[in-house]
Amino acid sequence: MMIRHLLVVCATVLSVVQAGKHDIYSGHSVYGVHVRSKAHQMLLHDLEPILDLDVWQHGIISEREAFIRVAPENKEHFLNALDEEGIKHYVHLEDVAQTLEQRDNEMNSWRASRRNRMLFNDYPRYDEINAFMDRIALQHPSLVRVVTAGKSFEGRDIKYLKISTSNFEDSSKPIYMLTAMIHAREWVTTPTLLYSVHRLVENLRSQDRDLREDIDWIIMPLLNPDGYEYSHTTERLWRKTRSHRPEINATCWGVDGNRNYDSVNFGLIGASSNPCSDIYPGPEPFSEVETAYVRDVLLEHVDRIQIFMDVHSYGNYITYGYGDGSLPPNPVELHLVSAVMGAAIDIYKLPEAYFYRVGNSGILMYPTAGCAQDYAQSIGVPSR
Ligand SMILES: [Zn+2]
């Protein structure tokens, strides 16, 4: 009884402290937009920087609607532009601030109702994620090594795990490399990789033994800890890093890490030169230490990496380069692996979730440059 009473008190205090936490999104709405042609898709793409649109889902022509967050001051312009082109739309979320507050309350009651909290059933914070990695390496020293790539812009350690039954010394084994959370608000991606680690190390099914025996793994579950923590404490929908360059812009922070890799057309496609934009690629490739660490790990192991996956949310897609819609020399191979992967995941998907779609990211979704997938492809992943 006492404990229960305490919980209620804590929850009340918490909700008082948290009240108004999401006020910056007050009056923001998310619209569902039916894209019926490439022209519709391109119109949204063109409006994105002008109206500071926040695209939650890009949509697939005549198949999946796009979901777009619009600030109150831009709604009229946005809706007029859609109506002029005859593009159908509806209100998906009326008020984003209210939706986020509801979601926080649901999460808090869910947590209060749980006796045993598994890290990957929740959205663990930076300290818990690092503690998980340290603990698993300590308990499985012959299988797991934790490596610190370096510090983030704000000085947090960026760690990753190397999982191998042969200490990475058997050069005949392929390496699979998984990264997540370069985009700070995509909270579901880190627990997904932590769960993969848990399954590989602590809960391997006998039929999956080859995954552990025959493959070396590099798993980087939290690439952008500064942005991630900021999305917990201050702005839920923060996407970028938290670098600050007052000589370029005194009032805006951060770079879109998934536009910051070195690639053809860096900064010219699917990006904005405005440092305040959510898709600002940074002043130059690898201006962000967070992406430079991924580059360094990729280059160190490029001869053996056969799969590199940078995990994002949301939308059920497996995509490959190049971001500008052109194809690398191995598209059939990439498409086949993606299709097999997507079909395998589809077996377990929730009934209300979309089936996985696979394809070139520039053709299937929207053109970009400076993405992780393009960089890895360009330096020779998958290895021959
Ligand atoms: Zn993302």
Side-chain angles (χ1 to χ4, degrees):
M1 244 350 232
M2 189 61 189
I3 290 170
R4 198 168 155 193
H5 186 65
L6 265 177
L7 276 176
V8 173
V9 173
C10 292
T12 312
V13 172
L14 199 69
S15 65
V16 170
V17 173
Q18 301 274 309
K21 185 183 172 190
H22 301 300
D23 279 357
I24 50 166
Y25 306 115
S26 187
H28 289 230
S29 299
V30 174
Y31 293 94
V33 180
H34 295 282
V35 284
R36 290 277 182 262
S37 66
K38 199 74 194 166
H40 290 176
Q41 222 166 28
M42 290 319 290
L43 175 74
L44 291 179
H45 197 67
D46 293 342
L47 289 175
E48 190 178 342
I50 302 167
L51 298 179
D52 197 25
L53 303 179
D54 180 16
V55 181
W56 287 13
Q57 174 168 288
H58 282 264
I60 298 178
I61 294 168
S62 298
E63 190 179 315
R64 291 181 195 174
E65 60 262 61
F67 288 122
I68 298 175
R69 176 171 63 92
V70 188
E73 64 272 20
N74 294 321
K75 281 180 183 175
E76 194 183 338
H77 187 155
F78 176 70
L79 295 175
N80 284 343
L82 295 187
D83 290 339
E84 269 171 34
E85 294 301 315
I87 302 176
K88 294 212 168 87
H89 53 81
Y90 62 93
V91 176
H92 173 61
L93 299 176
E94 181 74 49
D95 186 279
V96 174
Q98 267 181 28
T99 303
L100 290 175
E101 268 150 38
Q102 271 167 18
R103 185 80 185 127
D104 282 355
N105 291 336
E106 284 163 20
M107 283 299 291
N108 286 337
S109 2
W110 178 82
R111 282 189 191 109
S113 72
R114 302 282 291 191
R115 286 227 185 109
N116 297 319
R117 173 172 172 263
M118 299 291 269
L119 206 62
F120 26 77
N121 286 341
D122 202 338
Y123 301 117
R125 299 289 292 270
Y126 164 76
D127 286 334
E128 296 175 283
I129 295 161
N130 277 357
F132 172 86
M133 289 197 271
D134 291 340
R135 194 266 300 160
I136 213 157
L138 196 68
Q139 288 180 349
H140 305 273
S142 59
L143 184 62
V144 185
R145 206 146 57 84
V146 61
V147 184
T148 303
K151 301 275 188 199
S152 66
F153 184 87
E154 291 179 347
R156 292 182 178 88
D157 283 336
I158 296 177
K159 297 187 177 202
Y160 63 94
L161 296 175
K162 294 174 87 170
I163 301 173
S164 170
T165 54
S166 47
N167 198 28
F168 270 73
E169 283 161 7
D170 182 350
S171 58
S172 70
K173 286 187 185 178
I175 294 173
Y176 290 1
M177 179 167 166
L178 308 177
T179 55
M181 199 66 83
I182 191 65
H183 286 154
R185 63 195 187 179
E186 297 170 9
W187 285 5
V188 75
T189 60
T190 293
T192 304
L193 293 204
L194 298 181
Y195 182 68
S196 306
V197 170
H198 165 70
R199 290 299 301 270
L200 269 174
V201 176
E202 298 181 311
N203 189 18
L204 191 74
R205 299 182 305 182
S206 56
Q207 64 265 41
D208 294 333
R209 291 203 76 78
D210 56 335
L211 287 178
R212 187 156 85 192
E213 305 292 329
D214 303 342
I215 295 157
D216 285 350
W217 295 80
I218 296 172
I219 300 185
M220 304 181 82
L222 182 57
L223 293 180
N224 175 14
D226 297 348
Y228 182 63
E229 282 296 299
Y230 189 75
S231 75
H232 274 276
T233 58
T234 315
E235 282 189 42
R236 174 62 188 89
L237 299 175
W238 188 258
R239 166 181 165 105
K240 299 191 283 181
T241 59
R242 291 294 298 164
S243 58
H244 192 220
R245 298 181 175 86
E247 70 281 10
I248 295 176
N249 189 298
T251 53
C252 289
W253 273 250
V255 162
D256 182 346
N258 208 31
R259 300 290 181 277
N260 188 241
Y261 288 81
D262 196 8
S263 79
V264 182
N265 292 319
F266 172 88
L268 298 177
I269 307 176
S272 163
S273 57
N274 175 3
C276 302
S277 162
D278 253 353
I279 46 173
Y280 173 58
E284 63 197 10
F286 299 117
S287 61
E288 307 307 286
V289 287
E290 293 83 0
T291 55
Y293 296 142
V294 179
R295 171 199 62 198
D296 294 346
V297 177
L298 277 167
L299 289 175
E300 186 185 344
H301 298 285
V302 67
D303 293 345
R304 287 172 53 201
I305 298 176
Q306 290 201 353
I307 289 183
F308 168 71
M309 279 182 65
D310 188 37
V311 182
H312 290 257
S313 70
Y314 62 91
N316 291 356
Y317 301 98
I318 297 170
T319 66
Y320 50 84
Y322 289 108
D324 65 2
S326 67
L327 292 174
N330 56 341
V332 175
E333 183 183 44
L334 289 169
H335 202 91
L336 180 68
V337 172
S338 304
V340 170
M341 208 181 277
I345 304 171
D346 280 339
I347 295 171
Y348 298 100
K349 79 172 187 62
L350 297 172
E352 63 269 31
Y354 289 119
F355 285 103
Y356 266 74
R357 284 292 304 260
V358 306
N360 169 282
S361 64
I363 298 170
L364 191 61
M365 299 197 296
Y366 52 97
T368 58
C371 294
Q373 63 171 27
D374 281 21
Y375 179 71
Q377 178 84 47
S378 74
I379 61 166
V381 175
S383 65
R384 294 283 147 198

